[in-house]
């Protein structure tokens, strides 16, 4: 791999070589990265700017599912489910190192549930068509217990088994960013758009952005600026018009992470209807079990949303309703919250779980193109629709979409997931070579987690990581798997990063302290 391709200093040095960009994308989450990949693959000169880090917000805080959405099927949103199932199949082919086929079981505690859910999931299978991951089926009480040995057995009738996709969200985001860079796009994280540039007619002609590491401000010119900032959509729209109406309402989803012993098999649990009508998942993920999510309407958004006590209690109580061995607060290894960018409801009666997850492409009078809504599974289709819209309004010359069969960086089939290094796909060999050259880099960063020192160097050198948080939250998933262990890893990660990036001892100390201050809210004792 060419290290220069991913080097921030090299990218900054080449910025002045482009006077006019074909496309400027604001936002480096799933949506923005997808738009950049679609754009550059069609041959448009593309710049993406992300205010913090790739997938810093919602895109690293999902339930880790690549799915059609069983609950949307129950709501009758057939088109959304069909589109998502198609995209699930494409993503499994284009990023097989990160997307896997996951078995889910719906436990049945009422006599009619087996019949009801089996029929519903047969429809789900049918809508997936040729990209189906396998057939759903009803299974007996004995087989359900065999697959889920910690499940509460009192009153259990059986279960319904179905297949869906599971993935690592921020790892996919990083790999998409690498794919964009390799195709010739310019991407910069820790680079905040501070204003929209407009001509005398009010038409947007570019953006002003600040390098948050140096404080230097740049002006970038383009006839096409795409706002792909998720829950921050309205912040950008207010740059265009200070009186702009609210278009997005954040809906908070919280997840709790436990040791694998609470769900020891390979199967996930899907609880289709909780006490307040939500869906709850318990999913094996990186040798832990992830349980969520909630759906809480919030007035405001932030880069670090905090779980509410009621959300934590709701997940603990609901999960325990299905376990023979109950979990307690002190069993929680990590807590994380994410904000869904849902379309603002038309009136107060509309609940967030009833608002459609379909995406919308909006064109302002100034020419700003905004993409809102959607979900990780449909990121590729959202990007395709956004660029197609830009072509339709005359912002770009017509060229066909190329991403349906575009392998994402690292793509390779994976048959064995026992070693956590599988997530690197084809890059696994590069990390192994690094350890061979210096065996101290094979040392673990913490005994409770599998991550090693070489991964920190690799993240800085080839994955655009700039901070301890970039590494421990989104390159390796330590913060999301075991927050206390991540805090204990921070000083060593800061030392390795400082050495690799040429930073001072003061930077190293500040990085360790700022990460610890942020990460403690992922620990149960602070919630």
């Amino acid at each position: 791999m060419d290290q220069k391709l991913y080097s921030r200093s090299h990218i900054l040095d080449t910025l002045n070589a482009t006077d006019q960009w074909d496309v400027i994308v604001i936002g480096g989450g799933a949506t923005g990265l997808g738009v950049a990949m679609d754009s550059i693959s069609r041959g448009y000169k593309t710049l993406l700017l992300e205010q913090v880090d790739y997938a810093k917000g919602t895109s690293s805080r999902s339930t880790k599912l690549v799915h059609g959405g069983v609950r949307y099927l129950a709501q009758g949103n057939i088109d959304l489910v069909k589109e998502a199932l198609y995209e699930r199949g494409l993503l499994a082919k284009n990023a097989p190192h990160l997307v896997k086929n996951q078995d889910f079981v719906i436990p049945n505690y009422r006599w009619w549930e087996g019949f009801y859910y089996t029929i519903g999931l047969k429809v789900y299978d049918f809508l997936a068509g040729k990209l189906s991951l396998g057939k759903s089926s009803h299974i007996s009480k004995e087989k359900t217990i065999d697959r889920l040995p910690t499940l509460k057995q009192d009153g259990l009738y059986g279960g319904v088994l179905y297949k869906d996709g599971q993935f690592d969200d921020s790892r996919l985001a990083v790999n998409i960013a690498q794919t964009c860079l390799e195709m010739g796009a310019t991407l910069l994280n820790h680079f905040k758009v501070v204003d929209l540039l407009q001509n005398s007619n009010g038409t947007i002609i570019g953006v002003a952005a600040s390098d948050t590491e140096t404080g230097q401000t740049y002006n970038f010119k383009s006839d096409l600026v795409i706002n792909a900032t998720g829950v921050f959509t309205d912040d950008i729209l207010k740059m265009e018009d200070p009186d702009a109406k609210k278009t997005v309402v954040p809906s908070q989803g919280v997840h709790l992470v436990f040791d694998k012993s609470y769900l020891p098999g390979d199967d996930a649990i899907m609880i289709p209807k909780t006490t307040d009508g939500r869906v709850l998942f318990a999913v094996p993920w990186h040798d832990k079990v992830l349980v969520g999510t909630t759906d809480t309407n919030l007035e405001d958004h932030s880069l670090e949303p905090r779980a509410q006590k009621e959300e934590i209690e709701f997940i603990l109580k609901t999960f325990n309703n299905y376990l023979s061995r109950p979990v307690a607060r002190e069993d929680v290894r990590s807590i994380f919250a994410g904000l869904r960018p849902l379309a603002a409801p038309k009136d107060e009666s509309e609940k967030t779980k009833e608002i459609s997850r379909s995406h919308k492409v909006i064109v302002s009078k100034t020419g700003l193109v905004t993409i809102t809504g959607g979900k990780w599974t449909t990121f590729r289709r959202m990007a395709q629709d956004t660029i197609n819209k830009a072509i339709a309004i005359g912002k770009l010359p017509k060229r066909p979409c190329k991403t349906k069969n575009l392998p994402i960086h690292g793509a390779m089939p994976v048959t064995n997931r026992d070693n956590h290094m599988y997530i690197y796909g084809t890059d696994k060999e590069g990390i192994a070579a690094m350890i061979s050259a210096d065996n101290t880099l094979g040392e673990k960063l913490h005994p409770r987690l599998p991550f090693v020192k070489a991964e920190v160097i690799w993240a800085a050198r080839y994955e655009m990581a700039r901070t301890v948080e970039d590494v421990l939250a989104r390159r390796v998933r330590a913060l999301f798997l075991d927050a206390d262990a991540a805090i204990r890893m921070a000083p060593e990660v800061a030392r390795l990063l400082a050495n690799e990036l040429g930073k001072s001892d003061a930077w190293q100390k500040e990085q360790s302290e700022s990460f610890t201050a942020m990460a403690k809210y992922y620990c149960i004792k602070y919630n």
Side-chain angles (χ1 to χ4, degrees), residues 85-93 125 127-134:
L85 288 172
Y86 178 74
E87 293 299 325
R88 179 191 72 177
L90 293 183
L91 192 52
K93 289 199 298 184
D125 297 342
L127 292 174
K130 292 178 182 176
L131 294 173
S132 170
L133 299 179

Side-chain angles (χ1 to χ4, degrees), residues 21-319:
W21 301 89
D22 295 329
V23 181
I24 295 177
V25 182
I26 310 172
T31 308
L33 288 165
V35 171
M37 185 168 72
D38 188 292
S39 173
I40 192 63
S41 65
R42 298 197 205 202
Y44 305 124
K45 198 175 292 182
T46 305
L47 171 68
L48 179 144
L49 303 170
E50 161 54 43
Q51 64 172 330
V52 185
D53 183 33
Y54 306 115
K56 158 67 180 176
T58 309
S59 297
S60 62
R61 300 159 187 268
S62 74
T63 314
K64 324 303 177 198
L65 301 181
V66 185
H67 62 148
V70 173
R71 73 164 168 160
Y72 307 120
L73 184 63
Q75 292 169 5
N77 199 336
I78 301 294
D79 289 343
L80 176 61
V81 174
K82 193 172 182 180
E83 176 183 276
L85 288 172
Y86 178 74
E87 293 299 325
R88 179 191 72 177
L90 293 183
L91 192 52
K93 289 199 298 184
N94 293 335
H97 60 307
L98 291 176
V99 179
K100 61 171 278 205
N101 191 331
Q102 174 67 55
D103 285 348
F104 287 78
V105 175
I106 303 176
N108 304 154
Y109 288 95
R110 294 181 181 89
W111 66 267
W112 51 267
E113 287 179 336
F115 179 73
Y116 177 77
Y117 292 122
T118 301
I119 289 178
L121 286 162
K122 289 295 181 188
V123 176
Y124 197 63
D125 297 342
F126 174 75
L127 292 174
K130 292 178 182 176
L131 294 173
S132 170
L133 299 179
K135 292 181 179 179
S136 58
S137 61
H138 183 265
I139 56 175
S140 67
K141 177 179 178 177
E142 291 71 24
K143 283 190 176 177
T144 303
I145 294 167
D146 188 49
R147 298 184 80 111
L148 300 170
T150 55
L151 194 67
K152 188 168 76 175
Q153 298 178 21
D154 289 349
L156 182 70
Y157 281 89
V160 179
L161 177 70
Y162 75 99
K163 294 177 184 291
D164 232 328
Q166 196 226 27
F167 78 136
D168 187 309
D169 46 15
S170 70
R171 288 298 315 170
L172 179 58
V174 169
N175 286 167
I176 295 168
Q178 290 169 304
T179 305
C180 292
L181 288 166
E182 287 156 9
M183 288 191 290
T186 299
L187 279 74
L188 285 161
N189 54 350
H190 300 280
F191 223 95
K192 183 178 173 65
V193 170
V194 294
D195 202 5
L196 299 174
L197 305 178
Q198 293 172 272
N199 65 14
S200 56
N201 297 323
T203 302
I204 288 173
I205 56 169
V207 302
S210 173
D211 181 341
T212 61
E213 292 190 5
T214 65
Q216 185 174 345
T217 299
Y218 298 75
N219 286 347
F220 301 111
K221 300 290 184 68
S222 177
D223 291 334
L224 175 59
V225 175
I226 297 174
N227 175 14
T229 55
V231 293
F232 295 92
T233 293
D234 290 337
D235 295 1
I236 302 299
L237 291 174
K238 284 187 184 299
M239 290 179 189
E240 174 195 51
D241 175 9
D243 299 320
K245 284 179 67 178
K246 191 174 184 179
T247 63
V248 169
V249 60
S251 164
Q252 179 158 287
V254 168
H255 296 83
L256 307 184
V257 178
F258 301 92
D259 285 333
K260 188 73 169 66
S261 60
Y262 290 100
L263 194 66
D266 295 327
D267 295 344
I269 299 173
M270 198 274 257
I271 299 162
K273 196 151 188 169
T274 60
T275 51
D276 65 350
R278 301 170 187 162
V279 170
L280 197 81
F281 291 97
V283 188
W285 188 62
H286 292 320
D287 207 34
K288 294 281 187 286
V289 54
L290 180 148
V291 185
T293 182
T294 57
D295 206 338
T296 308
N297 228 347
L298 297 183
E299 286 300 312
D300 211 352
H301 57 271
S302 70
L303 281 164
E304 277 298 333
R306 292 271 308 274
Q308 298 175 5
K309 282 186 169 60
E310 297 79 13
E311 293 176 299
I312 295 168
E313 292 307 316
F314 168 78
I315 293 173
L316 287 171
K317 183 180 178 183
T318 306
F319 192 31

Side-chain angles (χ1 to χ4, degrees), residues 500-514:
E500 180 65 23
L501 299 175
K503 301 290 187 179
S504 66
D505 288 348
W507 180 91
Q508 190 175 320
K509 183 172 183 288
E510 186 279 327
Q511 277 291 303
S512 185
E513 289 175 353
S514 64

Side-chain angles (χ1 to χ4, degrees), residues 450-463:
F451 310 117
V452 300
K453 294 177 180 179
E455 294 176 84
V456 181
I457 309 299
W458 188 269
R461 206 172 281 180
Y462 299 108
E463 296 182 343

